[in-house]
Amino acid sequence: MRQAFVKYILSLALFGSNGVAAAGIHLNSYEIVLLRSALGSALLLALCVLSRREWTALRHRRDLAYTALSGVATGLDWLLLFEAYQRIGVSLSVLLNYCGPVLVMGLSVPLFHERLTLRKGLALGLALAGVFLISGQAALGGANAWGLLCAAGSALAYAALVVLNKLARKVEGMESAAIQLCFAALTTALFVGWKQGLSMEILPGDWPFILWIGLLNTGLGCYLYFSSIGRLPVQTVAVCGYLEPVSALLFSAAFLHEALLPLQLLGAALIIGGALVGEGIFSERKAVT
């Protein structure tokens, strides 16, 4: 459980830098997502082949179907989120996207019979308070309506991918990540092909950022993410997932010069505190000492 938790946190930190990498690419959001998913899936498939891992997914067809559907939800999540990046900025987009864990936590009670404990409720309350503090001022200042809608849609897709991944109990690790990324790439390719065709003009200066977001953030990041969330309680995934918008906020402030206001800093502290409370870190330390 602890190893899965560490892998999950590392994946969130990588995902938090997606907006910075995307800002350096002179393509539209759909093209960025297509390149991201294609490069990430190619890397994971190559690693699976080189490691000579035995593929077990075909033995568990129901779990394979859930894994594939989670990949489709991943593709939709990225398409909507990266469009929101370009419409309303990285910080607000990621924070609205992370309304998804609230939906996940609610769904975990009827779907997985997880008990909503007082500690998890407190953690969620802290995280939500942080999100409202961070995004409230930006929302009041006015934002592109289509961008807000895309960010909200990405939250729904995020909730779907977590729930579907949790249902696929017998397909996990690198195999799960590779399958999901392949279906994410297929989903984005079909959408981009339908919307504008698959040809695109890539500037030489775009390639470092494309490789960054495709191989590191997506290939490695998705392996860490998908190989961990199936081993963690859904409510843990929901609460600690708020660390991604915190890292995205910090990265966007440092590299994209998006302003960090005092209320946003307080909100970030509440989100981090909520994640720590949700994992019981404070209670564990007290028990040890």
Side-chain angles (χ1 to χ4, degrees):
M1 180 76 74
R2 185 171 296 275
Q3 182 182 13
F5 178 68
V6 172
K7 290 164 69 175
Y8 180 56
I9 296 302
L10 287 175
S11 72
L12 295 177
L14 287 172
F15 293 157
S17 67
N18 281 334
V20 176
I25 303 173
H26 299 86
L27 296 171
N28 66 44
S29 61
Y30 308 129
E31 293 168 336
I32 294 173
V33 172
L34 176 57
L35 290 171
R36 175 192 185 188
S37 56
L39 285 171
S41 58
L43 174 62
L44 286 184
L45 285 174
L47 291 176
C48 286
V49 172
L50 291 174
S51 64
R52 298 181 180 179
R53 299 175 63 91
E54 181 184 4
W55 289 77
T56 61
L58 291 177
R59 301 178 196 167
H60 312 288
R61 296 187 177 181
R62 176 177 294 180
D63 294 71
L64 174 59
Y66 285 135
T67 304
L69 289 173
S70 180
V72 173
T74 300
L76 294 174
D77 179 19
W78 292 349
L79 285 168
L80 292 165
L81 180 60
F82 277 68
E83 177 69 7
Y85 281 166
Q86 296 187 347
R87 300 278 183 170
I88 59 175
V90 174
S91 300
L92 185 56
S93 299
V94 172
L95 292 167
L96 292 176
N97 172 258
Y98 266 80
C99 292
V102 181
L103 302 175
V104 171
M105 186 168 288
L107 290 172
S108 69
V109 177
L111 290 178
F112 304 110
H113 309 291
E114 292 188 9
R115 190 165 58 92
L116 187 60
T117 64
L118 178 61
R119 190 185 75 197
K120 294 291 186 182
L122 175 61
L124 181 60
L126 288 172
L128 285 175
V131 168
F132 284 127
L133 283 175
I134 291 172
S135 61
Q137 188 164 2
L140 290 174
N144 181 275
W146 174 241
L148 291 172
L149 186 60
C150 286
S154 71
L156 293 173
Y158 174 89
L161 79 88
V162 172
V163 170
L164 288 165
N165 195 79
K166 187 70 175 179
L167 290 170
R169 297 180 177 88
K170 297 179 181 178
V171 181
E172 55 186 15
M174 190 178 296
E175 182 179 3
S176 172
I179 293 171
Q180 291 183 71
L181 269 186
C182 285
F183 275 91
L186 177 61
T187 301
T188 56
L190 289 173
F191 176 80
V192 174
W194 166 77
K195 183 175 179 61
Q196 64 182 49
L198 296 177
S199 63
M200 61 185 77
E201 182 178 352
I202 303 175
L203 300 176
D206 289 342
W207 279 110
F209 296 99
I210 291 172
L211 294 175
W212 170 9
I213 202 170
L215 299 181
L216 181 62
N217 288 18
T218 304
L220 176 61
C222 285
Y223 163 68
L224 295 172
Y225 181 82
F226 288 120
S227 64
S228 60
I229 62 173
R231 296 177 177 270
L232 295 170
V234 173
Q235 293 174 9
T236 296
V237 173
V239 171
C240 294
Y242 283 99
L243 292 174
E244 181 182 340
V246 171
S247 63
L249 188 73
L250 296 174
F251 288 139
S252 63
F255 297 104
L256 302 179
H257 308 294
E258 295 185 4
L260 272 175
L261 301 175
L263 282 180
Q264 292 176 319
L265 289 172
L266 175 60
L270 288 174
I271 291 172
I272 293 174
L276 295 176
V277 170
E279 278 305 299
I281 290 176
F282 295 131
S283 60
E284 286 180 10
R285 180 173 295 178
K286 182 177 179 180
V288 171
T289 56

